[in-house]
Amino acid sequence: MQGMADVTPDLPVRFEALERAAIEALDDGAAGYVAGGAGGEETMDANREAFDRWRIVPRMLRDVADRDLSVEVLGQELAAPVILAPVGVLSIVHEDAELAVAEAAADLDVPICLSTVSSYQLEDVAETIDDVAGTGWFQLYWSSDRDVTTSLVERAEAAGYEALVVTLDTPLLSWRERDIEEAYLPFLDGEGLANYFSDPAFLDRLDVDPGENELAAIREFVDIFGDPSLTWEDLDWLTDQTDLPVVVKGILHPDDAAEAIDRGAAGVVVSNHGGRQVDRAVPALEMLPEVVGRVGEEADVLFDSGIRRGSDAIVALALGADAIMLGRPYVYGLALDGADGVRAVGQNFLADLDLTLGLAGQRSIEGLDRSVLSERHC
Ligand code: FNR
């Protein structure tokens, strides 16, 4: 008879093994795109090293029999302080892409934040989210064509997304050495462009349908994808375009956080895009306490870049984040086993978070603060 102890998980449980297995399973281009970052990838390393500064100080005999992972973010009650980070072009790792992520996110009871450069169009993902009774947020890449930007925002709102996450750290795509060596940029193969190729404002720019001349449509996308000329005044315009709560993603400096909140954002995501944009950037975790100190009272502060395990999330939450975004780990799960893979990675992450919380002597995420941590002076 097979006992429970004999049933090994389908997916590697350790993040390092999970990453290795996914990289092995993917072709070199896709593997480099997901696992890689900007330049010499110093920022990616720094994101992880920043966690070494903090240690959890477990407390004893505090009745942790019932634990509460729930938090309130943007006025929404979340069952756990976790959102699946926006990750574009998921078709390069699995054909079910964002539809699989939406399905798994609903089972995990965490929101999916859908990228603008998704492989399925936002209305189709919204339909899946509805079918599985999930929650969706939409991440916006702010196009240099205002009509395209407005149209994407209106579509996201009409489709039922509950928050708009505007990514500010990607007005240009960065210098990514692995991708250059592999001559790999999925957009140039037409991947991740479903929202553009279905957008009336984008289609207005084309002489013929993308189906007839895909190359011309891709060229047009490259032209209007980002807008490096944007300034803070433009954020006033964007927050006026929608009734959804606007969260700005890619904030590192506390002054930027304050400016965003002054101009109508409801929250910020402290993030350096997982080290994919600026090489030798400051690790996101290092800036988190300062951003929380500046805007934490009036706005929601989310965090990503380097979260791999429950203990990482505890550190970020204890430093004042209201919730965290999980990035690469779930993408590796998707690569290895579609929706089941995302589900497995998410379940492991949430179980680890719950156990670590309780064993630290803490009963709730809302109750976490700096007193849970010890700072190492290296
Ligand atoms: C991303 N990220 C991202 N962010 C965003 O706002 N829109 C996007 O389309 C993408 N696309 C994307 C693709 C890939 C392959 C990765 C790995 C990441 C950034 C993402 O939301 C998040 O900030 C990082 O993944 C956090 O870093 P870690 O924890 O995954 O290292």
Side-chain angles (χ1 to χ4, degrees), residues 44-98:
M44 282 172 42
D45 294 343
N47 280 342
R48 289 298 306 150
E49 283 160 15
F51 284 90
D52 290 341
R53 189 170 144 198
W54 303 101
R55 291 289 186 256
I56 297 164
V57 186
R59 302 294 305 275
M60 303 300 134
L61 295 180
R62 290 160 63 107
D63 183 1
V64 292
D66 294 316
R67 298 173 299 279
D68 179 8
L69 295 188
S70 73
V71 291
E72 196 186 308
V73 176
L74 305 177
Q76 302 167 25
E77 184 80 19
L78 306 187
V82 179
I83 295 115
L84 298 188
V87 171
V89 276
L90 287 175
S91 57
I92 66 172
V93 308
H94 195 280
E95 61 183 351
D96 298 338
E98 299 84 10

Side-chain angles (χ1 to χ4, degrees), residues 13-34:
V13 175
R14 285 166 299 151
F15 172 77
E16 297 74 16
L18 177 77
E19 179 166 60
R20 235 178 356 255
I23 288 174
E24 241 166 63
L26 293 170
D27 63 52
D28 289 349
Y33 185 77
V34 176

